[in-house]
Amino acid sequence: DTGVSQDPRHKITKRGQNVTFRCDPISEHNRLYWYRQTLGQGPEFLTYFQNEAQLEKSRLLSDRFSAERPKGSFSTLEIQRTEQGDSAMYLCASSLEQTQYFGPGTRLLVL
Amino acid sequence: EDQVTQSPEALRLQEGESSSLNCSYTVSGLRGLFWYRQDPGKGPEFLFTLYSAGEEKEKERLKATLTKKESFLHITAPKPEDSATYLCAVQATGNQFYFGTGTSLTVIP
């Protein structure tokens, strides 16, 4: 399978816990994006990497959120001290030029 | 402020009944407009990229068109398997992409 993969697919956690999600992009893609999507809404941009450099971050990305892309390959998104409002689908996308290809997402539920 | 609006929010069609979905946008410097299909619980699936006014792209029963202010996704003789949410996204200057809230399409056999 040469598509974007994300792990885990589902995560249930208690409020206040930390969670980390992983994204493996399409192998030749140098650009990687993270989005958050809540029910009935379109994906909201969180952050963007070109190779290992994090070039843009949304105002939505509070200081509890951090993303990394070591060596310009896979990426991780960590949420510290989770809140119920963090419950959402977290989507990763990668691209070589402009068109982004999405992974299946990680659905987070914070109890 | 960059903005993307999709209409209608929901659309129910009989199988074979053609229709169009609308995506209107206000962005500073359009670099590209993208259509995606999203099934429940899954990530968006890429359909089309349009770069300039007048451009059209087709794939099976779908055809996407672009003007300076909006894009249409035309669905010809839809089938039940076309039922999904259709998302429109724009890329303005920079690398941020702005998505609309989508049109939920239901095709009734």
Side-chain angles (χ1 to χ4, degrees):
Chain A
D1 186 7
T2 57
V4 178
S5 61
Q6 292 187 245
D7 184 68
R9 294 292 308 279
H10 304 274
K11 179 71 177 178
I12 300 174
T13 191
K14 294 182 179 179
R15 189 175 52 186
Q17 297 294 306
N18 299 343
V19 294
T20 300
F21 308 141
R22 176 179 170 125
C23 170
D24 287 273
I26 295 171
S27 59
E28 64 268 26
H29 287 185
N30 61 344
R31 302 178 187 183
L32 189 146
Y33 304 79
W34 284 99
Y35 290 85
R36 180 174 67 189
Q37 186 177 27
T38 53
L39 199 62
Q41 300 297 312
E44 295 174 295
F45 171 82
L46 293 178
T47 191
Y48 157 68
F49 290 85
Q50 183 155 334
N51 299 311
E52 66 275 10
Q54 187 174 19
L55 297 184
E56 288 195 44
K57 290 198 291 186
S58 164
R59 292 186 300 273
L60 294 174
L61 211 65
S62 76
D63 57 5
R64 296 185 298 106
F65 287 70
S66 63
E68 294 183 343
R69 193 183 181 196
K71 302 179 182 178
S73 55
F74 71 92
S75 176
T76 58
L77 178 69
E78 182 183 16
I79 309 174
Q80 296 183 324
R81 305 181 302 281
T82 52
E83 302 173 355
Q84 288 184 324
D86 296 330
S87 296
M89 173 81 90
Y90 289 84
L91 293 163
C92 174
S94 70
S95 73
L96 188 57
E97 296 180 346
Q98 287 180 263
T99 299
Q100 296 180 28
Y101 297 87
F102 283 83
T106 294
R107 183 167 295 282
L108 173 66
L109 177 60
V110 181
L111 301 176
Chain B
E1 180 179 322
D2 297 331
Q3 194 167 11
V4 179
T5 303
Q6 291 189 246
S7 63
E9 288 186 12
L11 181 62
R12 288 171 64 90
L13 298 174
Q14 292 289 331
E15 185 173 0
E17 180 186 2
S18 302
S19 188
S20 295
L21 282 53
N22 177 263
C23 171
S24 61
Y25 61 90
T26 52
V27 295
S28 50
L30 180 72
R31 294 181 59 194
L33 185 141
F34 307 83
W35 283 99
Y36 289 86
R37 169 194 170 125
Q38 187 172 30
D39 293 301
K42 297 189 177 181
E45 175 188 345
F46 170 71
L47 293 174
F48 302 109
T49 302
L50 301 167
Y51 293 105
S52 57
E55 191 174 359
E56 298 183 352
K57 294 272 180 75
E58 276 189 79
K59 179 182 177 181
E60 296 180 350
R61 296 178 292 281
L62 300 177
K63 179 180 177 180
T65 62
L66 181 63
T67 71
K68 288 186 177 180
K69 293 184 178 180
E70 57 191 349
S71 176
F72 292 93
L73 184 66
H74 307 277
I75 303 176
T76 302
K79 298 182 178 181
E81 54 262 41
D82 295 323
S83 298
T85 295
Y86 290 84
L87 295 166
C88 167
V90 298
Q91 183 186 17
T93 53
N95 290 295
Q96 288 205 24
F97 286 68
Y98 300 92
F99 278 82
T101 54
T103 293
S104 176
L105 173 66
T106 303
V107 181
I108 304 162

